[in-house]
Amino acid sequence: MSKRSVDAVFQGLYLLTDIRGILRDTVPDHRLSPGQKKEAEKILGKLEKQVAILKEELLA
Amino acid sequence: MNCGEGIDTRQVDELFINLDPIQAGGRLTTDAMKAVLAYGDGYSVCDNCVKPFRLDHISKPPLADFHRDLADFLQMDVARLVPGARRGFQAVAGALVSPGDPVLLTAYSHYTEFLSVEQSRGIPFEIPADESHIITPDAAAARIEEVIRTTGKTPSLMFVEQVDYQYGNLHPVAEIAKVAHQYDIPVLCNGAYTVGIMEVNGKELGADFLTGSGHKSMAAPAPSGVLATTDEWADKVFRTTGIKGDLTGRTFGIKEVEMMGCTLMGVTSVGMMASFPHVKKRVKEFDRQLQHVNTIVDALFSIDGTKIQSEYPRKHTLTRMNTIDSFDKVAKTHKKRGFFLTSALRERGITGILAGSTRVWKFNSYGVSKEQADHVARSFIEIAEAEGLTITG
């Protein structure tokens, strides 16, 4: 059992859901405010970490 | 892009400002979307279900606390999760209405309220609305007197909507309930458009039963909702089973008959619970939503010939417009006929108004930001100007 990879999948999905939330908040133009851009950047950075964990756990 | 064979991925709320009258208040919070991801499997809340094996006793996830919190939130004594407000109507009618009983509804009652009366074999009597499309306590009193006079029976239940689905008008439930109680008629307040949208105090309303809709107004997946009641009525509407199998002798613990046992055994209850902290917060910010809907209505008003059929200024975001003398005149000669308006709105990233509507139509702006309300308002004016309608004010 790779609990670490399962956690990474859920963390990744939750982070993508946060991005989905930003897309919903900014319809129809998806023009992000400086604050929202900063938030999106933070989320995407965390998402990359979760993808790295998955690569490490499943592909190594 | 499909999410299953032949099932398109729904992206309405990611791509458009959605003004659909029944969808606005049920749009999920991000926490609810996460809950959907984690609890999508059937019976997903049952992992840690222990004796007495009932949904409102489960502590992990914290459904037992959630039930208590819901009752507190509504200022009622007891609450149960139900698969939509309609199942709350059904449960109450099933418990209180006997065949042949007169039951009071209103001119704006939802069809499922009627069906619940029909299922219980009651006889419906509607309280008429006044010329402002409001149900008044005087009209309720007059109808009660008439029903008692003509049937010889006191109605066994009264349904009344706090905000109705046709006009989005706010009705004086507390005063109507006071009248009903003078005749010992219990009152079910239908809060499908209010619970989760604005602050609702069941005690102040004088409601014996209060229903809310998770998917309509509590940012929850369908079908979900709440039925709350007082200690006086809880034992009747939430009676526990007493039945026994004649061969096996089986009994069924403390399952509640009108609830058909456990109700929301998975993603619906957890989605509703995940949104609940946000819902508690957003009901306190309802005034801002009223400012936004009034911004949109004022813009529509500035288009010559446009009328509002709901009460104005708005007390709710669900609104009924009459554009027979404005947009419908354009539709008569436009190459897209009645579809020109919803098509032009869609080009501007706005959806949710019934396609082809240019005469009488509804929208619900609940949940939009100030920027989005301004965009919608500006869009209506731009479309009107482009079609040669006069803008005043």
Side-chain angles (χ1 to χ4, degrees), chain A residues 24, chain B residues 22-30 32 73 192-200 213-220 272 275-290 316-317 364 366-368:
Chain A
R24 284 180 165 217
Chain B
I22 61 171
Q23 291 179 343
R27 192 178 297 122
L28 298 189
T29 59
T30 49
F73 175 63
Y193 277 101
T194 54
V195 172
I197 295 288
M198 52 199 275
E199 289 185 286
V200 177
S213 169
H215 50 261
K216 196 169 272 165
S217 299
M218 300 178 79
M272 202 171 163
S275 279
F276 190 54
H278 305 280
V279 163
K280 281 197 288 188
K281 190 166 169 269
R282 78 184 194 180
V283 296
K284 295 181 190 302
E285 297 163 355
F286 185 58
D287 281 353
R288 202 160 62 203
Q289 290 299 316
L290 292 181
H316 194 273
T317 51
N364 191 346
Y366 189 77
V368 300

Side-chain angles (χ1 to χ4, degrees), chain B residues 18 64 142 157 169 175 184-185 211 239 263 290 297:
Chain B
N18 186 2
L157 179 64
N169 286 351
E175 290 77 10
D184 288 331
I185 302 168
T211 57
R239 72 189 161 110
T263 52
L290 292 181
V297 170

Side-chain angles (χ1 to χ4, degrees), chain B residues 126-291:
Chain B
E126 292 172 286
I127 303 167
D130 68 9
E131 64 282 358
S132 309
H133 308 295
I134 299 289
I135 306 295
T136 66
D138 285 349
R143 200 76 225 263
I144 292 169
E145 287 288 345
E146 183 198 332
V147 170
I148 293 172
R149 197 172 56 246
T150 56
T151 68
K153 290 180 179 174
T154 300
S156 53
L157 179 64
M158 176 193 280
F159 288 91
V160 61
E161 296 68 42
Q162 193 178 12
V163 164
D164 70 88
Y165 76 96
Q166 292 192 37
Y167 292 89
N169 286 351
L170 185 66
H171 303 280
V173 172
E175 290 77 10
I176 294 168
K178 206 173 280 175
V179 169
H181 288 157
Q182 284 167 6
Y183 295 85
D184 288 331
I185 302 168
V187 174
L188 184 155
C189 173
N190 175 6
Y193 277 101
T194 54
V195 172
I197 295 288
M198 52 199 275
E199 289 185 286
V200 177
N201 183 325
K203 286 257 157 60
E204 279 180 10
L205 291 174
D208 299 287
F209 307 97
L210 177 58
T211 57
S213 169
H215 50 261
K216 196 169 272 165
S217 299
M218 300 178 79
S224 60
V226 57
L227 168 63
T229 189
T230 60
D231 285 333
E232 183 188 351
W233 291 100
D235 286 348
K236 192 165 177 78
V237 75
F238 300 136
R239 72 189 161 110
T240 51
T241 174
I243 204 164
K244 194 175 188 176
D246 72 323
L247 292 178
T248 61
R250 286 179 302 153
T251 55
F252 306 95
I254 59 162
K255 300 292 191 202
E256 291 168 337
V257 178
E258 304 301 342
M259 297 290 102
M260 288 300 288
C262 295
T263 52
L264 309 184
M265 297 86 88
V267 70
T268 41
S269 58
V270 183
M272 202 171 163
M273 188 162 55
S275 279
F276 190 54
H278 305 280
V279 163
K280 281 197 288 188
K281 190 166 169 269
R282 78 184 194 180
V283 296
K284 295 181 190 302
E285 297 163 355
F286 185 58
D287 281 353
R288 202 160 62 203
Q289 290 299 316
L290 292 181
Q291 286 168 17

